[in-house]
């Protein structure tokens, strides 16, 4: 138990300890605030001095890169200044390269035969991959390897002594030598993506540019014979700036540099038929260009559309024919009409689906549209003649004649339909589609008009006989 005097001493001790503890804490806060205000300014000043010493824009004579690199490699402990020195060395080297490119005379960037004959650029296009034809958008996509070759005698001066060949990047070549700015003239907007490129320089003056690019090319397709069509995708090359009097395109003689990768079109919708490389001049107003082109011929596999479009439409017509095998009794009138209308609506749906696969700006009619139109026309004739026979059977009361007419149509329509299908397939070459459509309609309406005229004559004769009876 503490006496009062001891309690007073203990309380005084606790007070003094708290005061001693508080004093250093207050001083620490003051030092921290001073550090926050003063340190940033001092650090900016010191770093500015160090940056000035190691500036990447510093001329090469003010910093001996070889000595600095030797000193840096001699020690195993790299300080912050050493790391910054290495960065500055690479920047200086790039700066010197830019100065060299800037010092290149203007004549070095002009075409070799300036003032004389046109320069000749050989080309070759090799199709590495094919990504299909987008009919509706008038596009096709490919992965190609483009090879260009030309002669520039000035190249020999750029190669180091003892070197007969070197490979440089496209970016470096653009700064030092003349390049024919050959582009894909019929590419789509933003339809070219470069994957890799290289420039090979030879002592004898030959320059070869090899470039792999993914292309999206815009071209109008001839869809008149679809799906029996043959398509010819074409890649056209030309100079971006030089006209035909300054630059001429020429096919490269090395055949292994151009063409199509073997087996590329196996088991695809299109089958490879042939390839052709051409060179031609094209003049549009004041624009006169020498162009080179690679054209490949592709044959579509139409059996795929046989299963998805052609046979379904034929089956729908056969279903419509069944209305003439149904009993002519009144309770079967609605099933006959419903069967015919459902087949017609299904044919319309297939036609819409087929039209969506074709370009909206196509010229003329496609074969698949002719075939669908013929099937729909037959369906409409079946609906009309079914109603005509119902009128004879129910309204006119000529049941025997109505049954006879139904049996006649059950055999006549299949024969007429076979003739329509044969005429359609005879026009699958895609030429004169309007003429083929006219002939098919004349065949259908000629057959049915003859039968209708003969049927109306029989109806009148039957009614005359009924009226003549007592």
């Amino acid at each position: 138990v503490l006496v009062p005097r001891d309690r007073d001493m203990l309380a005084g001790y606790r007070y003094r300890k708290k005061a001693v503890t508080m004093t250093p804490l207050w001083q620490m806060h003051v030092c921290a605030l001073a550090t926050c205000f003063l340190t940033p300014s001092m650090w900016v000043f010191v770093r500015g001095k160090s940056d000035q010493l190691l500036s990447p824009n510093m001329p090469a004579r003010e910093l001996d890169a070889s000595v600095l690199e030797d000193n840096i490699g001699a020690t195993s402990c790299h300080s912050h200044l050493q790391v910054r020195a290495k960065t500055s060395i690479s920047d200086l080297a790039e700066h010197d390269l830019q100065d060299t490119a800037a010092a290149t005379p203007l004549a070095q960037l002009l075409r070799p035969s300036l003032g004389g004959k046109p320069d000749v650029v050989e080309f070759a296009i090799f199709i590495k991959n094919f990504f299909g034809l987008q009919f509706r958008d008038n596009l096709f996509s490919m992965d190609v390897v483009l090879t260009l070759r030309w002669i520039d005698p000035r190249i020999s001066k750029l190669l180091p002594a003892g070197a007969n060949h070197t490979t440089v990047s496209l970016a470096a070549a653009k700064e030092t030598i003349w390049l024919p700015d050959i582009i894909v003239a019929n590419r789509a907007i933003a339809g070219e993506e470069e994957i890799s490129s290289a420039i090979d320089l030879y002592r004898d003056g030959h320059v070869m540019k090899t470039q792999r690019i993914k292309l999206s090319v815009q071209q109008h397709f001839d869809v008149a014979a679809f799906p029996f069509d043959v398509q010819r995708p074409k890649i056209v090359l030309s100079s971006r700036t030089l006209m035909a009097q300054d630059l001429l395109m020429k096919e490269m003689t090395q055949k292994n540099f151009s063409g199509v990768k073997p087996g590329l079109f196996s088991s695809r919708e299109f089958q490879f038929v042939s390839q052709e490389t051409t060179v031609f001049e094209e003049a549009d107003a004041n624009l006169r260009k020498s162009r080179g082109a690679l054209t490949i011929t592709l044959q579509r596999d139409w059996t795929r559309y046989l299963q998805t479009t052609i046979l379904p439409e034929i089956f729908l017509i056969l279903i419509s024919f069944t209305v003439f095998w149904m009993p002519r009794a009144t309770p079967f009138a609605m099933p006959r009409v419903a069967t015919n209308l459902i087949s017609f609506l299904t044919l319309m749906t297939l036609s819409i689906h087929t039209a969506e696969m074709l370009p909206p700006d196509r010229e003329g009619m496609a074969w698949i549209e002719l075939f669908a139109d013929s099937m729909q026309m037959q369906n409409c004739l079946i609906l009309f003649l079914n109603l005509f026979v119902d009128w004879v059977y129910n309204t006119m009361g000529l049941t025997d004649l109505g049954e006879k007419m139904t049996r006649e149509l059950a055999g006549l329509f299949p024969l007429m339909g076979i003739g329509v299908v044969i005429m359609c397939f005879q026009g699958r070459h895609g030429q004169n589609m309007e003429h083929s459509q006219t002939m098919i309609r004349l065949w259908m309406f000629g057959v049915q008009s003859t039968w209708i005229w003969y049927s109306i004559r029989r109806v009148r004769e039957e009614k005359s006989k009924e009226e003549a009876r007592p």
Side-chain angles (χ1 to χ4, degrees):
V1 179
L2 296 176
V3 297
R5 185 172 61 84
D6 295 334
R7 287 197 299 269
D8 295 339
M9 293 176 62
L10 181 62
Y13 171 75
R14 291 176 177 174
Y15 175 77
R16 288 193 301 273
K17 183 178 180 181
K18 183 176 181 181
V20 173
T21 305
M22 291 297 293
T23 300
L25 186 62
W26 176 79
Q27 293 177 356
M28 291 175 63
H29 280 79
V30 173
C31 292
L33 291 174
T35 302
C36 292
F37 282 104
L38 297 179
T39 300
S41 303
M42 296 176 62
W43 175 247
V44 170
F45 175 77
V46 173
R47 183 169 181 177
K49 290 295 184 181
S50 63
D51 290 344
Q52 186 176 2
L53 292 174
L54 298 174
S55 174
N57 298 323
M58 178 179 178
R61 62 178 179 271
E62 296 181 14
L63 182 61
D64 191 348
S66 61
V67 174
L68 184 56
E69 285 189 349
D70 292 340
N71 293 334
I72 292 175
T75 176
S76 59
C77 180
H78 299 280
S79 64
H80 174 70
L81 291 178
Q82 289 172 333
V83 174
R84 289 185 56 80
K86 281 188 174 182
T87 305
S88 300
I89 292 170
S90 62
D91 292 342
L92 285 171
E94 183 177 352
H95 180 70
D96 292 341
L97 182 61
Q98 293 176 356
D99 290 343
T100 303
T104 303
L106 180 61
Q108 192 76 11
L109 301 178
L110 299 177
R111 67 184 186 90
S113 303
L114 182 65
K117 61 182 181 180
D119 288 287
V120 178
V121 177
E122 297 179 289
F123 72 96
I125 304 174
F126 181 81
I127 300 176
K128 181 179 176 61
N129 205 346
F130 180 76
F131 303 109
L133 276 67
Q134 295 82 39
F135 260 34
R136 187 164 182 82
D137 300 324
N138 292 318
L139 294 173
F140 68 90
S141 302
M142 289 183 176
D143 183 358
V144 303
V145 178
L146 174 62
T147 306
L148 303 174
R149 185 172 61 190
W150 64 95
I151 298 177
D152 191 345
R154 300 168 295 182
I155 297 299
S156 58
K157 300 178 182 179
L158 302 178
L159 294 179
N164 294 324
H165 165 259
T166 186
T167 302
V168 298
S169 65
L170 181 60
K174 287 181 178 179
E175 300 293 334
T176 55
I177 66 174
W178 174 78
L179 296 176
D181 50 351
I182 302 299
I183 61 172
V184 180
N186 59 338
R187 70 190 185 280
I189 298 176
E192 181 176 340
E193 180 180 356
E194 181 180 277
I195 300 176
S196 62
S197 61
I199 304 294
D200 293 314
L201 308 177
Y202 296 89
R203 176 69 65 180
D204 59 357
H206 281 85
V207 185
M208 181 176 292
K209 176 183 177 182
T210 305
Q211 188 178 22
R212 180 185 174 190
I213 52 180
K214 283 188 176 180
L215 292 176
S216 181
V217 182
Q218 197 160 21
Q219 175 180 329
H220 284 285
F221 299 111
D222 183 10
V223 298
F226 179 84
F228 305 97
D229 53 329
V230 175
Q231 297 300 331
R232 295 176 175 84
K234 178 188 294 185
I235 300 176
V236 181
L237 302 178
S238 66
S239 173
R240 187 192 301 269
T241 56
L242 298 180
M243 299 295 178
Q245 64 269 20
D246 298 322
L247 186 143
L248 296 176
M249 302 295 295
K250 180 181 178 181
E251 179 184 359
M252 192 173 290
T253 56
Q254 285 82 353
K255 297 300 182 181
N256 58 331
F257 286 179
S258 64
V260 179
K261 184 177 181 180
L264 178 60
F265 290 94
S266 59
S267 301
R268 294 202 180 188
E269 181 181 359
F270 288 93
Q271 300 299 317
F272 177 73
V273 178
S274 63
Q275 67 181 31
E276 182 183 12
T277 301
T278 56
V279 177
F280 59 96
E281 288 190 10
E282 187 177 38
D284 296 300
N286 196 35
L287 185 69
R288 188 178 185 87
K289 293 283 187 178
S290 174
R291 304 189 189 274
L294 172 67
T295 305
I296 60 174
T297 303
L298 304 177
Q299 174 70 56
R300 188 189 299 272
D301 182 13
W302 65 275
T303 57
R304 302 188 180 193
Y305 297 90
L306 177 67
Q307 300 174 3
T308 59
T309 304
I310 299 175
L311 285 180
E313 291 185 354
I314 293 176
F315 290 153
L316 288 171
I317 290 298
L318 293 177
I319 292 173
S320 297
F321 288 167
T322 60
V323 301
F324 298 116
W325 278 277
M326 294 182 183
R328 187 50 62 178
T330 303
F332 289 91
M334 191 59 193
R336 287 194 299 271
V337 175
T339 301
N340 190 261
L341 289 178
I342 292 173
S343 299
F344 179 76
L345 293 176
T346 309
L347 283 172
M348 290 295 297
T349 303
L350 285 175
S351 300
I352 294 173
H353 174 70
T354 303
E356 290 177 350
M357 295 187 296
L358 302 176
D361 59 342
R362 59 188 177 275
E363 181 180 358
M365 176 185 294
W367 181 91
I368 195 66
E369 294 176 313
L370 172 65
F371 186 78
D373 176 77
S374 301
M375 298 299 109
Q376 294 171 16
M377 192 62 63
Q378 288 186 83
N379 199 295
C380 292
L381 287 175
I382 292 172
L383 177 61
F384 170 75
L385 293 177
N386 181 50
L387 295 177
F388 175 71
V389 176
D390 279 340
W391 173 75
V392 173
Y393 186 91
N394 295 302
T395 304
M396 303 299 294
L398 303 175
T399 57
D400 294 336
L401 182 59
E403 292 288 350
K404 185 178 180 180
M405 293 169 63
T406 301
R407 291 191 297 268
E408 292 173 355
L409 291 175
L412 181 61
F413 257 101
L415 293 176
M416 185 190 70
I418 292 173
V420 170
V421 172
I422 292 175
M423 295 175 68
C424 286
F425 273 88
Q426 285 181 344
R428 66 183 183 275
H429 48 74
Q431 300 177 2
N432 299 323
M433 286 289 99
E434 291 78 9
H435 176 73
S436 300
Q437 184 183 40
T438 302
M439 296 302 297
I440 291 173
R441 290 186 176 181
L442 288 175
W443 162 254
M444 288 191 296
F445 285 106
V447 172
Q448 296 304 324
S449 298
T450 302
W451 183 87
I452 291 173
W453 174 81
Y454 177 65
S455 299
I456 293 176
R457 180 179 176 181
R458 286 185 294 175
V459 169
R460 290 178 177 178
E461 291 177 353
E462 291 293 331
K463 294 300 292 183
S464 300
K465 291 179 181 180
E466 289 184 357
E467 293 177 356
R469 293 174 186 172

